[in-house]
Amino acid sequence: MATIEECRTALDKLSDNMANAEGDARTAAALDRSLSCRITDLDITFVGRLKDGRIRVLDTLQGPPPEKAQIRLTMNGDDLVSMVNGELNFAKAWGSGRVKLEASLRDLFRLRTLL
């Protein structure tokens, strides 16, 4: 089971990957939205902001987030680490229900180029 530190490192790596993206992926990452990433097996939520192509984690909370972010990810820690390391395909994980992504329809269309 991935630790809180490993999950936070994975989010930082994802942020770096997004910041270095080019073309359509870079455009998709340029959203300015509140963001939460719920790690179910650790019962924690990273809350922050997607802005200027980077994920800025502002806090780590015990349990579910108190407020509904505009972009919400839910998964276990191992899946987060595996996805960021390229070992787990996001589309397959999302399709099978291992990973949940909730956002407005417009944001989902923009984010699909990243995922």
Side-chain angles (χ1 to χ4, degrees), residues 35-74:
L35 175 78
S36 67
C37 181
R38 175 116 171 89
I39 307 300
T40 55
D41 57 330
L42 298 175
D43 193 28
I44 61 158
T45 303
F46 296 100
V47 293
R49 191 136 201 106
L50 173 61
K51 185 175 182 180
D52 299 326
R54 296 205 65 97
I55 297 170
R56 291 182 175 81
V57 176
L58 303 174
D59 205 356
T60 304
L61 306 172
Q62 191 67 37
E67 297 178 14
K68 188 175 178 181
Q70 292 167 303
I71 299 172
R72 300 169 303 281
L73 285 164
T74 304

